[in-house]
Amino acid sequence: EEHTNSNKNEVTRELSLTGSGSTDSGVRADSLDKHSNARWPRQNSLSMKEWDIPYDDVKIFEVIGAGRFGTVCRGSWHGAVAVKLLHVLPLSDDGSLLDTFKHEVSIFRKTRHENLVLFMGACMKPPRLAIVTSLCKGMTLYTHIHLRKDKFTANKSVLVAQQISQGMGYLHARGIIHKDLKTKNIFLESGKVVITDFGLFSVTKLCFGNNARGDSLGIPSGWLCYLAPEIIRALRPHASLLLPFSKATDIYAFGTVWYELLCGEFPFKGQPPESIIWQVGKGVKQSLANMQASRDIKDILMVCWSYRAADRPDFPSLLNTLQKLPKKRLARSPSHPVHLSRSADS
Ligand code: ADP
Ligand code: MG
């Protein structure tokens, strides 16, 4: 269809060229104008349609869970989907919320990667704001680690971390900062990592930020451990939109995920928020003294948790480091013929 349209455009252009009696340059400007007018709005509206899902087209079933910024339901839209319904307050009806939402959704829709949840579309008619994604089948890493107490071997942890680094590396290469990387936002579908909720932080905070009252700082439980020192130091009531998120703060959060995978618990376990804020803010890290792991594995933690953002690695270099880990470990195993022959080579 796109093809016939552009053909038609060519025809109109030719007609106006022959039909007009004005100078050469004048005609060209005119036809170019027509050309662009005919072309760009159509393309824009096409792509808008792609992700503007009419709310009534989505069948909504049971609530799966409630997060910081809304309710997640199982739904159906050309198959099983997850529908994130955002809480919108009537008073935030000044258009800026919708603009932020549209902006974040426009970022979301540009993502295509194996390890990222599939964005399918959004409902954007206030007060109904919803995001429709594919429904993740497995469980989150959080459920595996903290609820089911599943143990991840070092090799399994490395495979999971590699996939997280791949998905996150892709996001960063596209200029997208996750801002909320945590084990609750990482699904494991029969060995495959699927990352969710990237880049939606501002919308979530806009919805809820307006609701916050008084001078208290509402900190959702389990959030602090993922926050880099520079974010911790910037925490104050009502300032969540100004927090200095960056690629480096995503790396810090990855460090915490890596720690959870290896140790089965959160860093600073059992300590009150005030104490965590105080320690992280001045550069104290969770001690690794009692941790059973090789030096290489602990080094990854320490470098991701670097106090200075500039000292933290990026995802491609993390991936590189992680890819070297299992080989080294397997090479030492005498029961693995492939690696035995390799070590015989070297
Ligand atoms: P949080 O990430 O803090 O748990 P969310 O609002 O993102 O809060 O999610 C609420 C619940 O919905 C969680 O239990 C989460 O695992 C589940 N959920 C979110 N997105 C999906 C999805 N795409 N597929 C399946 N379940 C999901
Ligand atoms: Mg989530």
Side-chain angles (χ1 to χ4, degrees), residues 140-147 149-153 157 160-161 164 180-186 221-227 252-269 286 288 291 297 301 305:
T140 63
L141 280 184
Y142 175 86
T143 303
H144 278 292
I145 296 170
H146 301 286
L147 303 181
K149 312 276 180 199
D150 293 339
K151 293 278 174 275
F152 286 74
T153 61
S157 301
V160 169
I164 299 171
D180 201 15
L181 182 64
K182 55 179 186 179
T183 45
K184 280 188 175 176
N185 282 336
I186 303 170
S221 65
W223 187 47
L224 268 185
C225 294
Y226 296 104
L227 300 185
Y252 185 97
F254 171 88
T256 300
V257 170
W258 182 231
Y259 180 88
E260 291 173 71
L261 277 168
L262 297 165
C263 299
E265 56 190 39
F266 284 110
F268 303 107
K269 185 192 171 197
Q286 160 72 44
L288 306 183
M291 187 177 162
I297 282 178
L301 273 175
W305 282 343

Side-chain angles (χ1 to χ4, degrees), residues 220-241:
S221 65
W223 187 47
L224 268 185
C225 294
Y226 296 104
L227 300 185
E230 63 269 27
I231 296 182
I232 292 274
R233 296 175 74 98
L235 283 178
R236 33 197 66 101
H238 307 295
S240 53
L241 285 174

Side-chain angles (χ1 to χ4, degrees), residues 325-334 336 339-340 342-343:
L325 285 178
K327 278 182 210 154
K328 265 191 213 159
R329 295 175 62 80
L330 285 172
R332 276 190 231 115
S333 155
H336 209 292
H339 291 278
L340 260 187
R342 178 182 294 169
S343 56

Side-chain angles (χ1 to χ4, degrees), residues 69 72 84 180 182 184-185 187 196-197:
F69 54 92
V72 182
K84 221 161 237 245
D180 201 15
K182 55 179 186 179
K184 280 188 175 176
N185 282 336
F187 281 82
T196 66
D197 286 345

